[in-house]
mmCIF file of all heavy atoms in Angstrom:
data_model
loop_
_atom_site.group_PDB
_atom_site.id
_atom_site.type_symbol
_atom_site.label_atom_id
_atom_site.label_comp_id
_atom_site.label_asym_id
_atom_site.label_seq_id
_atom_site.Cartn_x
_atom_site.Cartn_y
_atom_site.Cartn_z
ATOM 1 N N GLN A 1 55.158 178.639 192.426
ATOM 2 C CA GLN A 1 56.433 177.912 192.356
ATOM 3 C C GLN A 1 57.578 178.912 192.360
ATOM 4 O O GLN A 1 57.718 179.711 191.437
ATOM 5 C CB GLN A 1 56.478 177.050 191.090
ATOM 6 C CG GLN A 1 57.763 176.241 190.925
ATOM 7 C CD GLN A 1 57.738 175.385 189.669
ATOM 8 O OE1 GLN A 1 56.687 174.935 189.229
ATOM 9 N NE2 GLN A 1 58.905 175.151 189.095
ATOM 10 N N ARG A 2 58.382 178.855 193.418
ATOM 11 C CA ARG A 2 59.548 179.730 193.475
ATOM 12 C C ARG A 2 60.576 179.268 192.447
ATOM 13 O O ARG A 2 60.850 178.066 192.310
ATOM 14 C CB ARG A 2 60.174 179.689 194.876
ATOM 15 C CG ARG A 2 61.350 180.653 195.046
ATOM 16 C CD ARG A 2 62.071 180.367 196.350
ATOM 17 N NE ARG A 2 61.263 180.731 197.502
ATOM 18 C CZ ARG A 2 61.330 181.906 198.132
ATOM 19 N NH1 ARG A 2 62.164 182.827 197.707
ATOM 20 N NH2 ARG A 2 60.573 182.130 199.186
ATOM 21 N N THR A 3 61.150 180.211 191.726
ATOM 22 C CA THR A 3 62.113 179.860 190.688
ATOM 23 C C THR A 3 62.953 181.074 190.339
ATOM 24 O O THR A 3 62.707 182.184 190.835
ATOM 25 C CB THR A 3 61.395 179.340 189.423
ATOM 26 O OG1 THR A 3 62.356 178.801 188.513
ATOM 27 C CG2 THR A 3 60.634 180.457 188.727
ATOM 28 N N THR A 4 63.925 180.866 189.501
ATOM 29 C CA THR A 4 64.689 181.973 188.920
ATOM 30 C C THR A 4 64.047 182.313 187.578
ATOM 31 O O THR A 4 64.065 181.493 186.648
ATOM 32 C CB THR A 4 66.167 181.582 188.722
ATOM 33 O OG1 THR A 4 66.738 181.223 190.002
ATOM 34 C CG2 THR A 4 66.948 182.737 188.126
ATOM 35 N N ILE A 5 63.453 183.477 187.490
ATOM 36 C CA ILE A 5 62.732 183.860 186.281
ATOM 37 C C ILE A 5 63.696 183.977 185.109
ATOM 38 O O ILE A 5 64.719 184.656 185.189
ATOM 39 C CB ILE A 5 61.983 185.191 186.479
ATOM 40 C CG1 ILE A 5 61.042 185.107 187.691
ATOM 41 C CG2 ILE A 5 61.213 185.556 185.225
ATOM 42 C CD1 ILE A 5 59.935 184.115 187.547
ATOM 43 N N GLN A 6 63.345 183.277 184.011
ATOM 44 C CA GLN A 6 64.160 183.291 182.799
ATOM 45 C C GLN A 6 63.278 183.547 181.584
ATOM 46 O O GLN A 6 62.060 183.719 181.704
ATOM 47 C CB GLN A 6 64.906 181.953 182.663
ATOM 48 C CG GLN A 6 65.881 181.656 183.786
ATOM 49 C CD GLN A 6 67.087 182.576 183.792
ATOM 50 O OE1 GLN A 6 67.397 183.237 182.793
ATOM 51 N NE2 GLN A 6 67.781 182.640 184.918
ATOM 52 N N THR A 7 63.912 183.513 180.419
ATOM 53 C CA THR A 7 63.201 183.786 179.163
ATOM 54 C C THR A 7 61.998 182.873 178.981
ATOM 55 O O THR A 7 60.927 183.325 178.556
ATOM 56 C CB THR A 7 64.159 183.621 177.970
ATOM 57 O OG1 THR A 7 65.313 184.442 178.154
ATOM 58 C CG2 THR A 7 63.471 184.012 176.666
ATOM 59 N N ASP A 8 62.150 181.589 179.282
ATOM 60 C CA ASP A 8 61.066 180.631 179.069
ATOM 61 C C ASP A 8 59.814 180.995 179.855
ATOM 62 O O ASP A 8 58.691 180.773 179.387
ATOM 63 C CB ASP A 8 61.516 179.215 179.448
ATOM 64 C CG ASP A 8 62.355 178.560 178.367
ATOM 65 O OD1 ASP A 8 62.349 179.072 177.224
ATOM 66 O OD2 ASP A 8 63.014 177.545 178.651
ATOM 67 N N HIS A 9 59.967 181.541 181.032
ATOM 68 C CA HIS A 9 58.804 181.901 181.839
ATOM 69 C C HIS A 9 58.017 183.047 181.197
ATOM 70 O O HIS A 9 56.784 183.064 181.221
ATOM 71 C CB HIS A 9 59.236 182.289 183.255
ATOM 72 C CG HIS A 9 59.930 181.181 183.986
ATOM 73 N ND1 HIS A 9 61.308 181.109 184.084
ATOM 74 C CD2 HIS A 9 59.444 180.080 184.620
ATOM 75 C CE1 HIS A 9 61.635 180.019 184.776
ATOM 76 N NE2 HIS A 9 60.529 179.380 185.101
ATOM 77 N N ILE A 10 58.741 183.994 180.620
ATOM 78 C CA ILE A 10 58.068 185.115 179.940
ATOM 79 C C ILE A 10 57.397 184.633 178.670
ATOM 80 O O ILE A 10 56.256 185.008 178.370
ATOM 81 C CB ILE A 10 59.082 186.237 179.617
ATOM 82 C CG1 ILE A 10 59.866 186.624 180.871
ATOM 83 C CG2 ILE A 10 58.368 187.435 179.019
ATOM 84 C CD1 ILE A 10 59.020 187.104 182.020
ATOM 85 N N LEU A 11 58.090 183.780 177.907
ATOM 86 C CA LEU A 11 57.508 183.239 176.682
ATOM 87 C C LEU A 11 56.276 182.391 176.983
ATOM 88 O O LEU A 11 55.280 182.448 176.260
ATOM 89 C CB LEU A 11 58.540 182.395 175.942
ATOM 90 C CG LEU A 11 59.691 183.144 175.272
ATOM 91 C CD1 LEU A 11 60.730 182.158 174.745
ATOM 92 C CD2 LEU A 11 59.186 184.026 174.140
ATOM 93 N N ALA A 12 56.332 181.617 178.054
ATOM 94 C CA ALA A 12 55.193 180.777 178.430
ATOM 95 C C ALA A 12 53.999 181.633 178.802
ATOM 96 O O ALA A 12 52.873 181.383 178.359
ATOM 97 C CB ALA A 12 55.573 179.871 179.593
ATOM 98 N N SER A 13 54.227 182.645 179.619
ATOM 99 C CA SER A 13 53.130 183.495 180.077
ATOM 100 C C SER A 13 52.439 184.202 178.924
ATOM 101 O O SER A 13 51.234 184.455 178.976
ATOM 102 C CB SER A 13 53.666 184.529 181.072
ATOM 103 O OG SER A 13 52.633 185.370 181.539
ATOM 104 N N SER A 14 53.187 184.517 177.868
ATOM 105 C CA SER A 14 52.640 185.285 176.743
ATOM 106 C C SER A 14 52.317 184.423 175.520
ATOM 107 O O SER A 14 52.102 184.951 174.428
ATOM 108 C CB SER A 14 53.631 186.382 176.339
ATOM 109 O OG SER A 14 54.908 185.844 176.060
ATOM 110 N N ALA A 15 52.262 183.090 175.705
ATOM 111 C CA ALA A 15 52.006 182.181 174.576
ATOM 112 C C ALA A 15 50.509 182.145 174.250
ATOM 113 O O ALA A 15 49.775 181.260 174.706
ATOM 114 C CB ALA A 15 52.528 180.791 174.888
ATOM 115 N N LEU A 16 50.061 183.077 173.455
ATOM 116 C CA LEU A 16 48.656 183.207 173.066
ATOM 117 C C LEU A 16 48.160 181.905 172.439
ATOM 118 O O LEU A 16 48.719 181.439 171.447
ATOM 119 C CB LEU A 16 48.515 184.353 172.069
ATOM 120 C CG LEU A 16 47.113 184.818 171.691
ATOM 121 C CD1 LEU A 16 46.431 185.466 172.881
ATOM 122 C CD2 LEU A 16 47.186 185.790 170.515
ATOM 123 N N PRO A 17 47.133 181.269 172.994
ATOM 124 C CA PRO A 17 46.692 179.961 172.483
ATOM 125 C C PRO A 17 46.240 180.034 171.037
ATOM 126 O O PRO A 17 45.686 181.035 170.598
ATOM 127 C CB PRO A 17 45.531 179.588 173.423
ATOM 128 C CG PRO A 17 45.064 180.890 173.984
ATOM 129 C CD PRO A 17 46.277 181.746 174.101
ATOM 130 N N LEU A 18 46.496 178.958 170.308
ATOM 131 C CA LEU A 18 46.189 178.798 168.885
ATOM 132 C C LEU A 18 47.169 179.549 167.996
ATOM 133 O O LEU A 18 47.484 179.100 166.899
ATOM 134 C CB LEU A 18 44.760 179.251 168.551
ATOM 135 C CG LEU A 18 43.632 178.561 169.310
ATOM 136 C CD1 LEU A 18 42.289 179.099 168.854
ATOM 137 C CD2 LEU A 18 43.689 177.055 169.109
ATOM 138 N N PHE A 19 47.689 180.683 168.465
ATOM 139 C CA PHE A 19 48.584 181.482 167.630
ATOM 140 C C PHE A 19 50.051 181.268 167.982
ATOM 141 O O PHE A 19 50.893 181.154 167.095
ATOM 142 C CB PHE A 19 48.226 182.963 167.745
ATOM 143 C CG PHE A 19 46.914 183.316 167.120
ATOM 144 C CD1 PHE A 19 45.765 183.378 167.884
ATOM 145 C CD2 PHE A 19 46.813 183.558 165.757
ATOM 146 C CE1 PHE A 19 44.542 183.676 167.310
ATOM 147 C CE2 PHE A 19 45.605 183.859 165.165
ATOM 148 C CZ PHE A 19 44.466 183.920 165.943
ATOM 149 N N PHE A 20 50.414 181.204 169.265
ATOM 150 C CA PHE A 20 51.799 181.063 169.691
ATOM 151 C C PHE A 20 52.026 179.659 170.260
ATOM 152 O O PHE A 20 51.120 179.083 170.864
ATOM 153 C CB PHE A 20 52.153 182.097 170.760
ATOM 154 C CG PHE A 20 52.118 183.523 170.279
ATOM 155 C CD1 PHE A 20 52.272 184.570 171.173
ATOM 156 C CD2 PHE A 20 51.920 183.838 168.935
ATOM 157 C CE1 PHE A 20 52.240 185.890 170.751
ATOM 158 C CE2 PHE A 20 51.878 185.146 168.487
ATOM 159 C CZ PHE A 20 52.032 186.175 169.405
ATOM 160 N N PRO A 21 53.231 179.107 170.091
ATOM 161 C CA PRO A 21 53.504 177.753 170.591
ATOM 162 C C PRO A 21 53.635 177.717 172.111
ATOM 163 O O PRO A 21 53.997 178.713 172.745
ATOM 164 C CB PRO A 21 54.841 177.401 169.923
ATOM 165 C CG PRO A 21 55.497 178.723 169.697
ATOM 166 C CD PRO A 21 54.387 179.678 169.366
ATOM 167 N N THR A 22 53.333 176.568 172.689
ATOM 168 C CA THR A 22 53.541 176.383 174.115
ATOM 169 C C THR A 22 55.038 176.343 174.416
ATOM 170 O O THR A 22 55.865 176.167 173.509
ATOM 171 C CB THR A 22 52.890 175.076 174.599
ATOM 172 O OG1 THR A 22 53.494 173.979 173.890
ATOM 173 C CG2 THR A 22 51.384 175.095 174.353
ATOM 174 N N VAL A 23 55.372 176.482 175.695
ATOM 175 C CA VAL A 23 56.773 176.467 176.119
ATOM 176 C C VAL A 23 56.955 175.374 177.161
ATOM 177 O O VAL A 23 56.178 175.279 178.120
ATOM 178 C CB VAL A 23 57.183 177.835 176.704
ATOM 179 C CG1 VAL A 23 58.627 177.797 177.192
ATOM 180 C CG2 VAL A 23 56.999 178.937 175.658
ATOM 181 N N ALA A 24 57.966 174.532 176.968
ATOM 182 C CA ALA A 24 58.233 173.425 177.900
ATOM 183 C C ALA A 24 59.109 173.905 179.053
ATOM 184 O O ALA A 24 60.180 174.481 178.834
ATOM 185 C CB ALA A 24 58.908 172.280 177.177
ATOM 186 N N ILE A 25 58.621 173.690 180.271
ATOM 187 C CA ILE A 25 59.378 174.012 181.478
ATOM 188 C C ILE A 25 59.302 172.802 182.403
ATOM 189 O O ILE A 25 58.196 172.380 182.787
ATOM 190 C CB ILE A 25 58.814 175.259 182.190
ATOM 191 C CG1 ILE A 25 58.866 176.489 181.269
ATOM 192 C CG2 ILE A 25 59.580 175.534 183.489
ATOM 193 C CD1 ILE A 25 58.222 177.726 181.874
#
């Protein structure tokens, strides 16, 4: 998906399951 990379994309990619929350995009 082409997009303008922002903070949410980095947070989503690094959201370790069970430990870090998911990110809504």
Side-chain angles (χ1 to χ4, degrees):
Q1 180 179 329
R2 184 191 291 266
T3 189
T4 301
I5 304 296
Q6 298 291 342
T7 305
D8 281 345
H9 299 99
I10 308 301
L11 289 172
S13 180
S14 55
L16 189 67
L18 302 181
F19 291 96
F20 295 173
T22 60
V23 178
I25 300 175

